[in-house]
Structures are given as structure tokens and as C-alpha cells.
Amino acid sequence: MSYIVRARGIHKHFGHLHVLKGVDLDVAERELVFVIGPSGSGKSTLLRCLNRLEEPSSGSIEVAGIDMLDARTDINHARQHIGMVFQSFNLYPHMTALGNVTLALRKVAGKSRAEADALGQAALERVGLADRATHRPLELSGGQQQRVAIARAIALEPKVMLFDEPTSALDPELVGSVLAVMRSLRDSGMTMIVVSHEMGFARAAADRVVFMDDGLIVEQGPPARIFESPAHERTRAFIGQIQRH
Amino acid sequence: MSRWDKFLDTFFNARVMAKYLPDILEGTVLTIELALLIVLSGLLAGLVLALIRSLGVRPVNWLIIFVVDLFRSLPPLVVIVLIYFGLPSAGLSPSAFVSTWLSLALVLMAFAEEIFWAGITSVPKGQWEASRSTGLGFGQTLMNVVLPQALRLTIAPLTNRTIAITKGTALGTVVALHEILGMASSAVSNSYNPSPLVMGAAAYLVLFVPVVVGARWIETRFAWKR
């Protein structure tokens, strides 16, 4: 099996807080890994360590064959291979949807404006928003904004996509449209790591569910096993709580 | 002579006004030149300082904060006098024009830096993260993502401050600068009639009312766009 992500012994301290206490995570090509766990368990921090938005305190991280923690690694180049989608979308409010998608294509991937516009338009097409290219973020619904954010990431043709609670800030009726886009991404063979509480989506689409608590991976396995017959008491308690809602 | 005639003769004396109009116009041209120089150099220097400050190099930032606080605290008149009367003893003799320009530009720089810096820091962290996660570097993110948003937030306080400081060109009279007020007051001394001062006030209005109105237009225009 060829792995896109290999993380070993990741520790992260925020001052006195020990947020990650030695996490190992391997993600295979085309795999969809779902990371669940109570708030404060370190799942978002783990995700943000993978593209070095957070600097891990120790450990090793390899993404698409690049040693992410090597001082000689060009981090800006490496990040092109790692798409990231945020809870709060973080679209650039002063640019159109197309402008959001094409900025990195022009400034990082070195495309001409015409090339970038064509690729950007194609990316918006993939998330079903080709007709919103000239709209500004504030003229779009939350679901549409998040889909533009996904288009912004996939336009760079990343090797892996990180989703940090992509639907948590959305009104319930808008969640479906974002999950549908994630589903089609998954069907196209994108490797994905998703931090989310969308258990229905996890059941339907994930290859593997990772349960984290208190800075450690407690257990992991196929969604059916984690959800139906978790091995650990903490997993059972967490899943019980989630499913009651 | 009625009181009304006396009033007109004192403040709106046509003969005196005609005689000194060329002087006032000359002063107006000089004031415009000076104001443009102050605005351009002051805002540019303030922006550059704010950009340097965003790099987060501590000793450099301490220096910036020190300079900025210094020129925000000193009255502009004190700066002008210090430069014009103080620097000659250090072997430099800046003209009245250069002294006034330099002083007001430094003061505007200091206030502009604080305003630009406040704008930059008010852009949410998520904007930096989104941009950096797609591979843009620090500088690219600053110029393409953060600064355009920051500048929009700074327009209102910046125009106010710019107008306030640019009006300080009148302080140049203290160092015998021949700007509007300087020309008007010497005309008053020569003619024993205050009409030139009325012309001077009119010249300031002609100069700054369009700036104030323009600023208001810019503010509303950019306020709606967000």
C-alpha cells in the first residue's frame, strides 16, 4: 500500500497544555479517514499539524513523499499538495468566487490569468457553482461559500484534502449540499481526512474511523465496527452521546 | 460712513483684496504643493512602517512603536520649530518649506502607521490561514489577501487624520513659510487691513472643502461595498 500521509509520534504543546500526546496516523492513497472525538481531544490540532498551520512540538510528518518538518522543505510548495477546508470557510471577502479560487493558481502555481480562470471555472463546476463565479462571498449562502472554499482547495489538484469540521458552521438544511460535494470528491478518488460530527456521512463514505480522546488515538477501524461494537468504553460513551442527538 | 460700510471696508476691502490677490494665490499654490507632499510621503511611510511591523521582528517593532508614539505625542508645531531652529546647530539648515513638510509628514506617518496596523490586525486569522494553506507565502498573503481588506477598514480614520494634519500647513507661518496664512498675515501688516485674512480663509475653504467632501464620498462608497 502506498501512503499519502505518514505521521509519527506527533506531540503538540500549547504552553502548559499537552494537546497531542504522541499520535501516529497513516493514510493510504484514495482513503477517506474520519476523525471523531470530543471537543478538545486534539483532532483539529492534529489536522492543522499535517500542513504545519500548527508547528508540532515533536514527531515526523511525511505528506506525498515530502518531509514536512525538514527545515529545508519549501513549505509553500508542499502546501499546494495539501488542500484544506475550514469550519468558517475563510473565503476572501474582497474577491469574487472565481477570484478566491484562482488566487493561488496564479500566485503559487504560476498560471496565467487565462489558464487560472479556466481551471478555476472548472473547479467551481465540480462543486456545482459555475453560475456563481462572479458573486462575492457575502452574496452566497453558507453552503455555497463552503463549496467555493472546497473549489479553492481542489483547483490546485492536491494529493490529500483536510476537512476541519466543514459543516459545523452551517444551517442544517445547507449541510447536505456540502456533503454531496465531499461525496463526489471521494468518488473521484481523492484522499481525504475529515474531522467532523457528521456520523451519517462517516458511516456511508468513510473507509476508516479514528476516535481520539485527550490527545491520543483511542481506537480506529471500519465505521461499522467503531459505531456498532467499539472496543473501548470511552468510544462507546462518545458514540452513545452523539447518537442520542 | 455707516457701520455696515465700515465693516465692508475692514473685511472686504476691494482695493486691498485686488492688490494682494496674487500673493494669496502664490501662497495657495505653495500650500497645495506642501499638502500633496505631506499626504503622499506621510501615508507611504506609515504604510511601509506598518508592513515592516507585521513581520514581527521584536527589536524593530520596539523601534517603530517608539518613533510612532514620539510623533503622536509631540505637538506638530513643536516638531516644526525643533527641526527649523534646532537642526542648524547640528550643521543642517532645512528651509522653512522642508522643515514644515518633514515635520507634518512625520506626524502623519506616525498616525497612519497606527491606523494601518490596526487595520492589518483586525483582519481575521482565518484569512491568513486560508491563504497560507494554499501555498501563498507571508508577503503574498499580506499583499493579496490581508492588505486589501485592511485598507478598506482604514479609509475613514485615515482620511480624517490626513485632513487634520494637512491643515497644519498653516503652522509653517511660524518659520516664515510663504503659504496661505503667511502671505495673508504679511499682507495685513502691509495694508493695515484684515481683508487678506478673509481671502486666506476663503482659500483654505476652496482647498479643503473638496477634500472633506471627497473623503465622505470615499467612505460611503467603501462602506457599502463590504
Side-chain angles (χ1 to χ4, degrees):
Chain A
M1 247 219 257
S2 72
Y3 288 101
I4 296 280
V5 174
R6 300 193 79 123
R8 286 280 176 280
I10 306 300
H11 283 263
K12 175 65 186 174
H13 299 265
F14 288 113
H16 293 296
L17 226 58
H18 198 176
V19 181
L20 295 176
K21 301 175 176 172
V23 174
D24 299 334
L25 184 70
D26 288 346
V27 179
E29 219 169 306
R30 306 174 77 88
E31 195 181 15
L32 194 163
V33 172
F34 226 78
V35 184
I36 61 173
S39 84
S41 57
K43 48 195 196 310
S44 281
T45 306
L46 173 64
L47 209 62
R48 293 161 57 83
C49 280
L50 294 181
N51 69 350
R52 263 179 68 189
L53 279 187
E54 299 292 354
E55 203 70 39
S57 308
S58 64
S60 71
I61 297 173
E62 210 184 283
V63 179
I66 300 168
D67 182 349
M68 295 297 290
L69 302 185
D70 188 332
R72 286 163 300 180
T73 297
D74 177 354
I75 189 67
N76 294 328
H77 181 260
R79 279 174 177 157
Q80 285 182 68
H81 302 303
I82 312 172
M84 186 157 201
V85 175
F86 301 85
Q87 181 177 353
S88 47
F89 328 136
N90 300 348
L91 291 184
Y92 315 133
H94 58 300
M95 295 182 188
T96 62
L98 187 63
N100 269 272
V101 177
T102 53
L103 180 65
L105 286 169
R106 291 190 291 120
K107 301 290 174 185
V108 186
K111 308 281 185 199
S112 71
R113 186 175 279 276
E115 285 174 298
D117 283 353
L119 290 168
Q121 195 63 46
L124 286 172
E125 188 100 47
R126 282 182 73 184
V127 300
L129 290 174
D131 58 335
R132 294 287 188 274
T134 57
H135 288 238
R136 301 220 173 208
L138 284 185
E139 300 161 358
L140 300 172
S141 74
Q144 290 172 332
Q145 289 189 48
Q146 192 60 301
R147 281 147 68 198
V148 172
I150 293 174
R152 175 171 67 184
I154 60 175
L156 292 163
E157 297 184 355
K159 303 266 172 51
V160 55
M161 287 278 291
L162 311 176
F163 290 86
D164 190 2
E165 307 210 21
T167 58
S168 301
L170 293 176
D171 291 333
E173 77 271 19
L174 301 176
V175 169
S177 66
V178 171
L179 293 182
V181 167
M182 290 170 67
R183 189 63 187 259
S184 78
L185 255 190
R186 189 253 183 301
D187 292 342
S188 72
M190 178 64 76
T191 308
M192 294 160 72
I193 307 177
V194 182
V195 170
S196 167
H197 297 294
E198 299 292 340
M199 297 303 158
F201 183 72
R203 260 175 216 280
D207 296 297
R208 178 159 48 114
V209 173
V210 172
F211 175 68
M212 284 185 72
D213 192 16
D214 198 24
L216 283 168
I217 291 178
V218 176
E219 66 175 306
Q220 49 186 312
R225 187 183 76 63
I226 297 291
F227 290 127
E228 312 310 338
S229 52
H232 286 263
E233 182 50 41
R234 276 189 288 177
T235 320
R236 202 169 305 142
F238 177 73
I239 287 168
Q241 265 172 357
I242 289 282
Q243 284 174 341
R244 239 174 287 134
H245 292 296
Chain B
M1 206 185 248
S2 73
R3 282 193 180 176
W4 176 242
D5 286 334
K6 202 165 181 186
F7 173 79
L8 284 183
D9 186 62
T10 307
F11 290 103
F12 297 92
N13 188 308
R15 194 184 42 80
V16 174
M17 281 186 161
K19 185 175 176 197
Y20 290 102
L21 182 64
D23 285 0
I24 300 291
L25 286 180
E26 200 187 311
T28 307
V29 171
L30 186 106
T31 303
I32 292 173
E33 288 169 356
L34 184 58
L36 284 177
L37 265 179
I38 291 167
V39 171
L40 289 178
S41 53
L43 292 183
L44 189 69
L47 180 60
V48 167
L49 282 190
L51 292 177
I52 294 174
R53 189 168 170 189
S54 72
L55 293 174
V57 183
R58 278 221 186 142
V60 177
N61 285 7
W62 289 333
L63 187 68
I64 291 174
I65 291 168
F66 172 75
V67 170
V68 163
D69 284 355
L70 185 73
F71 284 107
R72 290 199 305 160
S73 312
L74 287 171
L77 182 56
V78 174
V79 183
I80 294 174
V81 170
L82 259 178
I83 289 183
Y84 187 72
F85 295 107
L87 280 188
S89 23
L92 286 164
S93 310
S95 65
F97 185 87
V98 169
S99 300
T100 313
W101 163 54
L102 207 58
S103 308
L104 295 178
L106 283 170
V107 174
L108 181 57
M109 169 194 82
F111 281 100
E113 189 280 337
E114 277 305 299
I115 294 169
F116 284 129
W117 175 245
I120 289 172
T121 51
S122 68
V123 173
K125 197 162 157 259
Q127 293 289 313
W128 286 95
E129 292 185 341
S131 172
R132 296 304 305 271
S133 79
T134 57
L136 271 80
F138 176 88
Q140 287 178 315
T141 300
L142 185 63
M143 299 314 271
N144 293 288
V145 175
V146 175
L147 204 54
Q149 298 182 55
L151 290 184
R152 192 158 292 175
L153 296 169
T154 57
I155 284 171
L158 213 49
T159 42
N160 280 331
R161 186 53 72 173
T162 303
I163 292 165
I165 291 171
T166 314
K167 282 192 296 191
T169 46
L171 297 171
T173 42
V174 174
V175 291
L177 182 66
H178 300 298
E179 50 74 66
I180 298 172
L181 183 60
M183 286 302 208
S185 12
S186 62
V188 170
S189 324
N190 293 331
S191 65
Y192 304 106
N193 182 294
S195 295
L197 275 178
V198 175
M199 290 166 82
Y204 278 114
L205 285 181
V206 168
L207 209 58
F208 283 106
V209 166
V211 178
V212 175
V213 171
R216 192 181 298 281
W217 179 78
I218 291 172
E219 277 167 38
T220 48
R221 190 189 126 88
F222 280 94
W224 283 338
K225 259 201 155 174
R226 265 193 77 84

